Amino acid sequence: MGGVEDGAPRDFAREGSDAPMPTGARDLLDASTDAAAVVSADGVVVGWTRAAEALLGHPASEVRGRSAAVLVAMDRDPARVAGVAQRCREGLGWSGRVVLRHRDGHAVDVDLRVSASFRVGAQECFLLSARGQSRQWTLGQSVLDGFLTRSPVGMAVMDLHLRYVWLNDTLERFGGVPRAQRLGRRLSELLPGLQAEAIEGLMRKVLETGAPVTDYEYLGWSWADPHRRRAYSTSFFPLVSADDSVSGVCYMVQDVTERWTARQLLALVNEAGTKVGTTLDVMRTAQELADFAVPRFADFVVVDLLEPVLSTEGHGTWLTDAGPAPAKPAMRRAGMASVREGCPEAVVRIGDRVDFVPPTHDAQLLIDGEPILIPVLDPSDDVWRSEEPERAANIRRFGLHSLISVPMRARNTALGLATFVRSLNLVSFRPDDVLLARELVARAALCVDNARRYTREHAAAVTLQRSLLPHALAGGSALEVASSYLPADPTDGVGGDWFDVIPLSGARVGLVVGDVVGHGIAAAATMGRLRTAVQTLADMEMPPDELLAHLDDLVLRLSAERTDGTAAQQSTTAFLGATCLYAVYDPVSRRCTMARAGHPPPVVVGSDGQVSFPEPPAGPPLGLGGMAFESTEIELAENSLIGLYTDGLIAGADRDMERGMTRLGEVLARSGADLGTMCASAVRQLVPVPQPDDIALLLARTHALGADHVVSWDVPVDPAAVAEVRARATRQVVAWGLAELATTSELIVSELVTNAVRYAAPPIRLRLLLDSRLTCEVSDASSTAPRLRHARIMDEGGRGLFLVAQLAHRWGARYTAAGKIIWAEQEIP
């Protein structure tokens, strides 16, 4: 064994796979056919197999009892042999490559393995197994040629003068120029419209520097498709000879038109969000849509709106349940634009009545809401000539050849019709263009609907205020809630008071009340944005102090908008700020955590009738910025009453806030009626006459979630413990009478607990809550956020949270002082 090549022990077993292997692979991994011999510690052959005879040609009778050294066709190295023997005596084994001598004298290269030493009787022995080295598969020239020629990536080789010397079939197809015409010529001579000069400049740079250029994207046309721009991604690298000299440049090109188009469409949609809907004016918004789409998307665009949309009287819309539509809708031209000056293609002008819908459709198109694509307009079509003769004549006259009509709809309301037409652009609309048109119109429709609502509701400020407040409040099983809102005197304009009840995870409920400083549409609109922001931030499981900090940032931005917007300054007063109180009640612990930003404290009436005003740190009003908010926590007994209100309720005629708070506590303490009656009565008693400020009162009676509705278990950090925890949870769900949720609950518990055991830090705890929904919570000491990802087909994991998201009604995560909680809710049948 002298002069052998050492190697670590190799395991040729294929672990964990029952799939059948190809014959070649099976021969490589199967050791049952190896040549084997048993050699004693002094180098004498003790055993010899038939496979060994087949490999070296020696029968057993010739080698058994003889020294194994005669079989080795290498220089002897006693030190190496001793080292191998010592390694095998230590139980490690050895493997390497050696050269053996065949019986006929030729050398045989083999892979040799030596086992750990063992004893046969009193004699120490080693098992040697050998296998002839197999030939490596080599890449034939024909295979290489076929790969390069038929590759889906276009390839070419250019000489030092940037002339073609070779190209594959794909590149020939991309350019539309035959191979024979390309060879020996430069790109700029063949495809001048393909940014040839810039591409050749890059190739010269590669030749000069030797540095490759990758993923260079550009637009152009080719003879294969001369009427459509296409996008390509190209990479260039130098061809280096054996003597390290650069002999040419190779480039590879891919057609990435679809990717580029998708990116451009996304950019176009994002740009539309900044260009369309800049004002709350219906006609201006319609014209902005037309101006934006020409010439980016179409050559001629018209926007027609239903007459009720332009009216400030009545409902002002069509709803889908308004009954069958008339054959021809009553619309007016609200906006149009054309690549031709003066829009000569138009049959009617802006402000004129119009009833156009593409034949053979009627006004039902506006209610159905599905876009119409006519890839090829035929002015000689009998339907167009009979129903739209004047438009058919303009189609022929101006070469209008492709059309998309998209109904404008927003909030389940029909608003009008937007029509896009191409003429100078010779490329017809395709189905992908319909998606873009739909998105542009949807954004514009939302802006039109906002403007329509603003115009109508500006004349009815109270209606606007009520429309922005919650229409129904739900506190689940944790709270019984009621509210009362009293608008300010109409002569003082609409205010910005608001309140909300927000269901949270773990049966908790968020209570919020706020007051935007000032009056008018600006205050009401800001109130709506703040209420939406609170709902969003609360849904992100933010604690009260952090929620107010983010809300403070939003108010600062809104204030900046009011200051910078000239139109807003002309029509409204400057925005000053807002106050807010946010509280979260947990029915399991009966704890209420709250924080406030310049808002009056809440009132609490205990079950014994005692009145208190817990005062969390006041905090600055929203909009000042740079100051921190703090939260406090109180415990509320069962059937306690907590009230959140705005300052208009306690200000009174004397503007004495402390006296007003005392009156509020007295009214609530002596009232034994239901919450709804109590709310209305308290407002009537405290505010008997109209006030210059809005008034909001939100009352909530607390309930605790009993021990029979909350179960929790500690989870050992052991994958084997998951099965037991899962079984306990399933039994508990069945015990609650929710057997139909047992299977999904078992899967949700299994996934959440398994993830926590695998990736989180202890302690880990599982909690089940039963209230209006069935909630599963898994807490741990880790602050790492869970991430929902889509596993690929061959991935063995990564589907846990995706499965939870599919099974649960809602799921999410919230952070605590000790770590985080992952939760999932199920609707109770």
Side-chain angles (χ1 to χ4, degrees):
M1 295 188 291
V4 295
E5 178 183 342
D6 284 341
R10 292 177 291 177
D11 185 1
F12 287 87
R14 185 174 180 177
E15 297 180 359
S17 175
D18 296 325
M21 292 182 293
T23 302
R26 185 164 56 247
D27 292 342
L28 288 173
L29 303 178
D30 187 5
S32 62
T33 60
D34 285 2
V38 178
V39 179
S40 65
D42 55 2
V44 175
V45 177
V46 178
W48 190 257
T49 64
R50 292 185 178 180
E53 179 180 351
L55 178 65
L56 298 179
H58 294 282
S61 59
E62 291 184 2
V63 295
R64 191 181 294 122
R66 298 179 60 188
S67 173
V70 300
L71 303 175
V72 180
M74 301 171 61
D75 293 336
R76 297 185 181 184
D77 188 346
R80 176 66 60 83
V81 172
V84 171
Q86 180 60 35
R87 178 184 178 90
C88 294
R89 289 190 178 100
E90 294 172 356
L92 299 177
W94 178 90
S95 64
R97 295 180 179 179
V98 299
V99 182
L100 301 181
R101 181 179 290 108
H102 194 272
R103 188 183 186 204
D104 61 11
H106 75 269
V108 180
D109 292 329
V110 299
D111 291 320
L112 182 68
R113 288 175 291 175
V114 184
S115 72
S117 64
F118 59 93
R119 291 193 173 274
V120 178
Q123 190 176 23
E124 182 184 24
C125 297
F126 303 90
L127 174 64
L128 283 67
S129 60
R131 174 183 302 187
Q133 293 185 11
S134 59
R135 291 183 59 190
Q136 296 294 322
W137 180 77
T138 58
L139 183 65
Q141 186 63 38
S142 61
V143 176
L144 180 60
D145 291 343
F147 166 73
L148 294 175
T149 302
R150 298 177 180 84
S151 169
V153 178
M155 301 179 185
V157 176
M158 320 292 281
D159 63 15
L160 295 175
H161 300 288
L162 303 183
R163 294 176 300 211
Y164 283 97
V165 296
W166 177 88
L167 68 153
N168 67 353
D169 295 347
T170 305
L171 187 61
E172 182 180 18
R173 185 174 66 254
F174 281 170
V177 179
R179 181 182 281 104
Q181 296 182 24
R182 284 205 188 210
L183 296 177
R185 301 179 68 184
R186 293 170 51 180
L187 180 65
S188 56
E189 299 172 358
L190 300 167
L191 299 169
L194 202 64
Q195 296 191 14
E197 293 184 1
I199 295 173
E200 289 183 346
L202 288 175
M203 289 192 285
R204 291 190 188 95
K205 181 179 178 181
V206 170
L207 290 174
E208 293 170 0
T209 64
V213 175
T214 60
D215 201 21
Y216 171 73
E217 288 192 1
Y218 57 92
L219 294 175
W221 59 270
S222 68
W223 292 113
D225 191 5
H227 298 297
R228 189 187 302 275
R229 285 199 313 172
R230 305 198 69 84
Y232 301 96
S233 174
T234 306
S235 297
F236 309 89
F237 57 91
L239 293 177
V240 182
S241 302
D243 58 356
D244 290 335
S245 63
V246 177
S247 59
V249 63
C250 178
Y251 76 83
M252 297 185 294
V253 60
Q254 285 182 289
D255 188 331
V256 293
T257 303
E258 291 186 4
R259 183 180 74 188
W260 182 86
T261 301
R263 196 163 59 226
Q264 293 301 113
L265 294 182
L266 181 61
L268 191 63
V269 170
N270 289 336
E271 185 183 0
T274 64
K275 298 291 182 64
V276 180
T278 60
T279 65
L280 287 174
D281 183 274
V282 173
M283 298 290 285
R284 176 71 177 273
T285 301
Q287 186 60 45
E288 286 175 344
L289 172 60
D291 291 338
F292 178 80
V294 175
R296 292 179 177 88
F297 180 65
D299 298 324
F300 176 52
V301 176
V302 295
V303 180
D304 301 325
L305 297 179
L306 292 164
E307 284 198 336
V309 175
L310 300 172
S311 172
T312 59
E313 299 178 358
H315 191 69
T317 60
W318 277 4
L319 297 180
T320 56
D321 58 357
K328 290 290 187 179
M331 298 188 293
R332 288 192 181 273
R333 180 63 46 85
M336 66 180 181
S338 171
V339 292
R340 299 176 175 88
E341 186 176 356
C343 300
E345 307 96 327
V347 173
V348 299
R349 300 286 106 184
I350 291 179
D352 293 345
R353 288 199 58 172
V354 59
D355 58 6
F356 169 74
V357 291
T360 56
H361 300 84
D362 55 24
Q364 190 66 33
L365 168 65
L366 277 64
I367 295 178
D368 293 338
E370 289 302 317
I372 299 299
L373 168 63
I374 304 178
V376 179
L377 280 174
D378 184 4
S380 61
D381 184 271
D382 293 339
V383 177
W384 278 88
R385 287 192 302 173
S386 61
E387 295 187 14
E388 301 290 343
E390 193 173 358
R391 290 185 173 85
N394 279 359
I395 290 174
R396 179 180 291 105
R397 178 183 175 187
F398 296 103
L400 312 180
H401 64 83
S402 190
L403 175 146
I404 295 176
S405 284
V406 183
M408 299 188 70
R409 296 173 55 80
R411 302 181 180 95
N412 203 32
T413 302
L415 301 173
L417 186 70
T419 302
F420 306 85
V421 185
R422 282 182 178 172
S423 56
L424 300 183
N425 186 342
L426 300 179
V427 180
S428 297
F429 285 121
R430 297 177 297 171
D432 288 347
D433 296 319
V434 176
L435 299 177
L436 175 59
R438 186 201 291 266
E439 184 65 26
L440 293 177
V441 172
R443 289 178 177 249
L446 187 60
C447 296
V448 167
D449 192 50
N450 288 339
R452 173 187 64 83
R453 289 170 179 262
Y454 170 83
T455 302
R456 197 174 68 252
E457 290 166 358
H458 183 61
V462 174
T463 303
L464 170 62
Q465 175 73 344
R466 289 190 178 277
S467 70
L468 293 174
L469 291 173
H471 299 292
L473 301 176
S477 59
L479 295 175
E480 177 189 351
V481 294
S483 64
S484 181
Y485 169 76
L486 183 64
D489 189 315
T491 59
D492 292 296
V494 67
D497 291 13
W498 95 93
F499 54 88
D500 215 343
V501 178
I502 307 170
L504 303 174
S505 64
R508 300 171 306 133
V509 180
L511 301 172
V512 61
V513 65
D515 185 1
V516 175
V517 176
H519 294 83
I521 295 298
T526 302
M527 175 268 288
R529 298 177 72 171
L530 293 184
R531 176 174 174 250
T532 301
V534 170
Q535 289 176 330
T536 302
L537 296 171
D539 196 51
M540 296 171 64
E541 304 286 358
M542 285 190 177
D545 52 342
E546 289 186 22
L547 183 144
L548 291 182
H550 283 79
L551 203 61
D552 185 45
D553 292 338
L554 174 62
V555 173
L556 285 172
R557 292 197 298 271
L558 295 180
S559 181
E561 290 177 8
R562 296 297 178 193
T563 303
D564 297 339
T566 304
Q569 284 183 319
Q570 291 176 350
S571 60
T572 63
T573 58
F575 175 69
L576 299 177
T579 65
C580 183
L581 169 65
Y582 179 62
V584 176
Y585 174 67
D586 187 344
V588 178
S589 64
R590 293 186 292 106
R591 308 288 294 181
C592 183
T593 306
M594 63 186 75
R596 59 183 179 137
H599 203 83
V603 56
V604 175
V605 181
S607 55
D608 56 357
Q610 292 294 319
V611 178
S612 63
F613 289 87
E615 294 198 18
L622 300 173
L624 296 182
M627 302 179 70
F629 298 93
E630 300 180 32
S631 61
T632 190
E633 189 175 76
I634 62 173
E635 184 172 342
L636 297 175
E638 178 86 8
N639 292 320
S640 295
L641 183 69
I642 181 171
L644 281 65
Y645 51 90
T646 54
D647 57 2
L649 182 66
I650 58 174
D654 53 7
R655 309 299 297 177
D656 188 332
M657 295 293 184
E658 291 189 3
R659 186 175 179 182
M661 291 167 60
T662 301
R663 289 197 299 263
L664 173 61
E666 293 173 350
V667 170
L668 296 179
R670 65 171 179 259
S671 177
D674 64 273
L675 283 187
T677 304
M678 186 185 303
C679 251
S681 174
V683 171
R684 283 196 305 269
Q685 292 182 56
L686 295 172
V687 190
V689 295
Q691 297 291 322
D693 198 4
D694 291 355
I695 294 166
L697 174 61
L698 175 63
L699 296 181
R701 180 172 284 121
T702 64
H703 300 293
L705 201 60
D708 56 336
H709 287 256
V710 182
V711 181
S712 62
W713 301 276
D714 290 323
V715 179
V717 186
D718 182 4
V722 175
E724 174 62 24
V725 173
R726 180 175 61 221
R728 287 183 181 180
T730 305
R731 288 194 296 268
Q732 182 60 54
V733 171
V734 174
W736 278 334
L738 302 175
E740 55 268 43
L741 297 181
T743 300
T744 55
S745 299
E746 181 180 16
L747 290 172
I748 291 173
V749 169
S750 178
E751 294 298 339
L752 295 184
V753 173
T754 299
N755 279 350
V757 170
R758 285 182 177 177
Y759 307 115
I764 301 171
R765 191 167 182 82
L766 168 67
R767 185 171 76 162
L768 296 181
L769 299 93
L770 175 63
D771 62 329
S772 57
R773 291 190 176 99
L774 176 62
T775 304
C776 168
E777 296 183 345
V778 176
S779 61
D780 58 65
S782 171
S783 60
T784 303
R787 182 170 64 91
L788 178 65
R789 69 184 181 92
H790 295 272
R792 294 170 296 184
I793 295 176
M794 300 303 294
D795 288 351
E796 296 182 1
R799 299 176 177 85
L801 288 180
F802 182 78
L803 178 62
V804 171
Q806 297 299 309
L807 295 175
H809 172 70
R810 290 196 315 158
W811 78 278
R814 66 177 185 268
Y815 294 91
T816 65
K820 70 172 183 299
I821 296 174
I822 311 296
W823 55 268
E825 294 179 352
Q826 298 181 74
E827 293 277 13
I828 296 178

